[in-house]
Structure formats: C-alpha cells, structure tokens
Amino acid sequence: MAEVDIPIPDELREALSAPKCIDLSLPEPKKLTITLPTGGTLTSLANIGQNIPNDCSLTFSLMLQIAPLMAASACVLKILKLLKPLSDAVTSFPPSPKLVKDIVEAVADLAPCFLQLTPAGMIPFVRDILCLILKVLNCLIGQLKTIVNLLSGLQISLVTAREQGNDELVETLECAQNNAMTAMGHLFEGLEPVKAIMDLASPFMSIAGVQAIQLPAIAPAGDLEALNKTINQLDEVVDTIQQVVDALGGCPG
C-alpha cells in the first residue's frame, strides 16, 4: 500500500507539539504585607504542609492573621481615642467645650468595652470558645474510638496468626498495627492545642463564673486498656463542657 504524506498546517503542528517547559512552569507567588498602625508589618505565610503556595493561599494566610488582630484591637483603639482628648485637656486646662464634648463621646464609645470585665460581657465569649472546643473534642474522640477498635481487632488477629505460625500475615498485621499507633500518636498531638486554648481561656472563664476544665493525661499509644480509659475520661470532659455550655445558653444553631 502506497504511503501518502498529508501536509499538516503549522497551527495544528504547533498545537500537537509537546509543551515547552515555560508553559508548565509554576507561577512565582508574590509576598504580601500589611503595614500595621503600630508601625509593624504582617507578612503572608506559606503553609509547606499543604499544596504549593500561590497568590490565593498567601492572600488567605494574611487574612487569617489580620482578622483576629483587628478584632482584638477594637477596644484598644477606643481607649486611644479617649486618651487623646484627655491629654489635650490636661495640657490646655481648663478644657474647651469642644474637648469636653470629645471626651464625653469617647467615654460613651468605650462603655461597651467595660462589659468585658463583667460576667455578662464575658459569658458569650466563653460559651463560644467552649462550643469550639466541644466540636474539636467530639471530632478527635470519634477518630480515637475508630483507631482503638482497629487496634483491638488487629491484636486479636495477631494472636491467631502467631498461633498458626503464619509469619507473613504476622508481619502484615504488625505493620498495620504500627501505622495505627502512629495515627493515634498524631491524634493525641491534636489534643495539645486544645489543652493550650483551655489554659488560655481559664482567666476568661473565671470572670464568667465558670470553673476551669482540665483534660486527662494522655495514655501510651500501645496500651489498649489505658487508651479506652483515656477516651472515657475525654467523654466525661465533653459531658462537663456540654453542661456548662447549656447553662450559658447553648451553642449557636
């Protein structure tokens, strides 16, 4: 059979050709900064534990930094707003009617911040923090129970495999057991930030009239009996927090 060369247009040839490296190159994300009123700066952070950073992820990291800073600065700015006319009043005594008016307005604007030091002002914050902790603990406890059930089943299977002299199965089961214990260790590490938040929340809870709540000691990952005891203790902590939250009005729907 005769072969016939069919001419291919240059545009089609270019479209079918292998992509060039420059076409596959990842764009270089640009660092973003925000200048703070205090003179400092916030810089976008790349999370190396996730995907390759891009402009969107760096922008979002900066939003996560600036949001709590702005929320925490609200009363500080109101205090500074009051200090300015007070300072002018002291340096130009007696104060002018305008200064007196500015001071009265600044005090009125600052009044809601005084509630932060009272139980009425602190209860919503404490309730919301405890609701957040409840969600995290319920999530972790659910995963812990799943892994403990897996370890229990693997332990029974290991005993049977050893009795039968099935070395290959024993090796496979021991590998799965080690992986489950590693996963358990990572979950217990997830309890550390929860403990840190609860410790930080203790002064706020005291103002709200709520007693401090302690997490139980962490059991060794290889001791199933101790692990089940730890999970039961965590369940009791969840029940205690739930009772406190319900007394404070319950978690938002």
Side-chain angles (χ1 to χ4, degrees):
M1 181 180 293
E3 295 182 358
V4 178
D5 292 333
I6 299 176
I8 300 176
D10 293 339
E11 294 81 1
L12 180 59
R13 188 188 304 275
E14 183 177 352
L16 296 175
S17 63
K20 299 178 182 179
C21 180
I22 190 172
D23 298 325
L24 302 176
S25 298
L26 296 173
E28 188 73 24
K30 297 179 180 179
K31 284 268 186 177
L32 301 173
T33 60
I34 290 181
T35 303
L36 301 176
T38 56
T41 57
L42 289 178
T43 304
S44 55
L45 301 174
N47 187 345
I48 60 175
Q50 295 185 349
N51 298 328
I52 297 173
N54 54 40
D55 287 338
C56 291
S57 64
L58 290 182
T59 302
F60 192 70
S61 78
L62 201 54
M63 291 176 63
L64 291 178
Q65 295 181 67
I66 195 63
L69 178 64
M70 293 171 66
S73 300
C75 279
V76 175
L77 293 176
K78 291 178 180 179
I79 292 172
L80 293 175
K81 181 182 176 182
L82 172 60
L83 289 178
K84 177 61 170 66
L86 283 177
S87 174
D88 292 342
V90 171
T91 56
S92 59
F93 192 84
S96 66
K98 182 180 182 308
L99 273 179
V100 173
K101 180 175 177 294
D102 290 343
I103 292 173
V104 171
E105 291 177 351
V107 169
D109 195 26
L110 187 59
C113 295
F114 297 143
L115 291 176
Q116 294 181 2
L117 302 179
T118 66
M122 195 60 66
I123 283 175
F125 173 70
V126 169
R127 181 200 60 207
D128 291 347
I129 290 295
L130 291 178
C131 288
L132 179 65
I133 292 174
L134 264 182
K135 287 183 178 294
V136 175
L137 286 180
N138 282 325
C139 177
L140 288 174
I141 290 172
Q143 295 182 58
L144 286 172
K145 289 179 178 179
T146 300
I147 295 179
V148 166
N149 290 335
L150 174 62
L151 286 172
S152 299
L154 289 172
Q155 193 174 64
I156 295 173
S157 299
L158 269 171
V159 172
T160 303
R162 289 187 179 117
E163 289 175 349
Q164 295 174 349
N166 191 337
D167 295 337
E168 183 177 351
L169 180 58
V170 167
E171 184 178 354
T172 300
L173 291 173
E174 285 179 342
C175 179
Q177 188 180 54
N178 290 334
N179 288 336
M181 288 182 179
T182 300
M184 178 74 75
H186 289 319
L187 284 177
F188 279 148
E189 288 178 3
L191 286 172
E192 291 300 321
V194 178
K195 183 179 183 302
I197 291 176
M198 293 182 69
D199 290 341
L200 290 172
S202 180
F204 303 98
M205 293 170 65
S206 177
I207 294 174
V210 176
Q211 292 185 347
I213 301 173
Q214 300 293 329
L215 290 179
I218 304 302
D223 189 339
L224 286 179
E225 183 177 353
L227 285 173
N228 280 311
K229 182 179 179 181
T230 299
I231 290 175
N232 290 334
Q233 291 172 333
L234 286 171
D235 279 331
E236 292 175 0
V237 170
V238 166
D239 291 339
T240 300
I241 295 176
Q242 186 65 62
Q243 292 174 11
V244 173
V245 167
D246 290 341
L248 297 178
C251 294

